[in-house]
Amino acid sequence: MSDAHVNIEDQLRISETVLDSISTIDPYGERAVMTSIGRKDVTGTKPEWTKQALEAPTSTNQQVQGFTVTFAAADYKARTQEFNYVQLMNKKVAVNLSHESVLVAGIAKGGELSNQKTLKYNALLNDHEAMLVSGNARQQPLPGATNQSGRSGGIQTFITTNKIEAGKTPYPSKALERSYFHTLSAMCKKQGGHPNKSFCGIGAKEAIGSWVTQTNRDVSDQGRKLQTVIDTYETVGGPQAIICHLQLTSVLLMLETGRWDSGWLREPQWYPFPAQGDFHGGDYRLESTLIAWAEEASGKITGLQYTQ
């Protein structure tokens, strides 16, 4: 007797299984720089701050007994002033009202706009992070007839004292070399800096890992080179956390994080659209900037080249 089988594909009205959940992935969501530096409220579109530094020490500071003090203009240590502009950012979303009435897996009925708002809020903070690590040219916000948006300078913009450009003399390699990293750390140290975190792309972090001696064999059973990826590396300026940052594919930022602040004129806030058409929505907005208290305490390596 032959077996009879029922082909499930021939049956009608079989209910599909759709899991009632949604997976969200965000490779930029760590926002490592924003969460590492400080925070300041600002009250204008062009925040300014003051900097001062000590003169270099000398071993020949000596006077005769009973000397007479005379004064000159050079005896006064003048301060310097720095500034940045705020940058107004937004992320908008609108949802069809019929969409709010249908059943969507993983979304409560009527909850599509709330879900989209969460996505846009996080995307806006990712844009803020991108501004912080950027080399943006500063641009003054000029509303009205000029209609010019403001642009905030980022960390790469402000770091001008301690910098290495990979691929150019005397740093010919476009891959991160151990000597580059230690040279940059020494530059920061000589300026009075104590960098505590370095932010870099995948290739640069793997390069730093390769400088560490393997504690076991360095070849796998398949004959492949084993790579050590580390989270802390010691330099002349002290230990540094090595943090992978996917927005820094060709740049390494060596920061004394206590010398940097996010400046907030307006925290992220939701602004709903007036009702129009068969949809509802709005946009998130923030207005922020970067404050560089002492760029001399940090450094950067640019021009790195990796396939990532």
Side-chain angles (χ1 to χ4, degrees), residues 242-300:
I242 310 300
I243 300 171
C244 186
H245 198 294
L246 295 183
Q247 296 184 40
L248 297 172
T249 55
S250 62
V251 177
L252 180 143
L253 298 178
M254 185 179 289
L255 305 183
E256 183 176 340
T257 54
R259 302 282 192 169
W260 304 87
D261 281 331
S262 288
W264 293 92
L265 181 62
R266 287 195 282 168
E267 296 275 3
Q269 185 174 342
W270 174 254
Y271 294 86
F273 288 161
Q276 51 181 302
D278 196 37
F279 68 88
H280 64 159
D283 70 327
Y284 272 111
R285 304 174 198 174
L286 65 78
E287 203 161 0
S288 63
T289 188
L290 172 72
I291 300 171
W293 294 108
E295 61 85 15
E296 301 87 347
S298 302
K300 66 180 179 182

Side-chain angles (χ1 to χ4, degrees), residues 76-89:
Y76 179 81
K77 185 66 174 178
R79 300 181 182 92
T80 58
Q81 186 166 286
E82 191 56 274
F83 73 93
N84 206 353
Y85 295 116
V86 297
Q87 186 168 329
L88 174 61
M89 308 180 192

Side-chain angles (χ1 to χ4, degrees), residues 171-247:
Y171 310 102
S173 173
K174 289 195 173 184
L176 180 63
E177 301 283 347
R178 184 175 183 175
S179 60
Y180 299 2
F181 194 86
H182 283 269
T183 297
L184 186 64
S185 176
M187 288 179 178
C188 298
K189 179 71 173 178
K190 290 176 182 178
Q191 293 293 329
H194 298 86
N196 58 306
K197 290 186 179 182
S198 282
F199 303 85
C200 57
I202 295 171
K205 182 163 184 179
E206 288 181 338
I208 296 171
S210 70
W211 305 336
V212 178
T213 303
Q214 294 279 355
T215 57
N216 54 16
R217 59 182 180 172
D218 60 358
V219 178
S220 71
D221 293 336
Q222 292 76 36
R224 296 182 181 137
K225 178 75 174 178
L226 295 177
Q227 180 68 61
T228 300
V229 178
I230 61 172
D231 296 320
T232 306
Y233 188 77
E234 183 83 22
T235 67
V236 67
Q240 292 190 39
I242 310 300
I243 300 171
C244 186
H245 198 294
L246 295 183
Q247 296 184 40

Side-chain angles (χ1 to χ4, degrees), residues 7-24:
N7 185 346
I8 194 170
E9 300 298 332
D10 290 338
Q11 304 305 307
L12 302 178
R13 315 302 294 174
I14 294 175
S15 177
E16 294 183 359
T17 300
V18 180
L19 300 180
D20 195 27
S21 60
I22 297 176
S23 175
T24 303

Side-chain angles (χ1 to χ4, degrees), residues 106-123:
I107 303 292
K109 189 172 182 178
E112 185 64 72
L113 181 60
S114 295
N115 177 268
Q116 293 295 326
K117 284 172 63 177
T118 299
L119 296 177
K120 295 296 183 178
Y121 176 83
N122 284 286

Side-chain angles (χ1 to χ4, degrees), residues 129-149:
E129 174 84 359
M131 178 273 289
L132 292 177
V133 302
S134 75
N136 285 346
R138 291 174 290 188
Q139 180 171 285
Q140 184 177 6
L142 296 173
T146 306
N147 198 30
Q148 176 172 284
S149 60

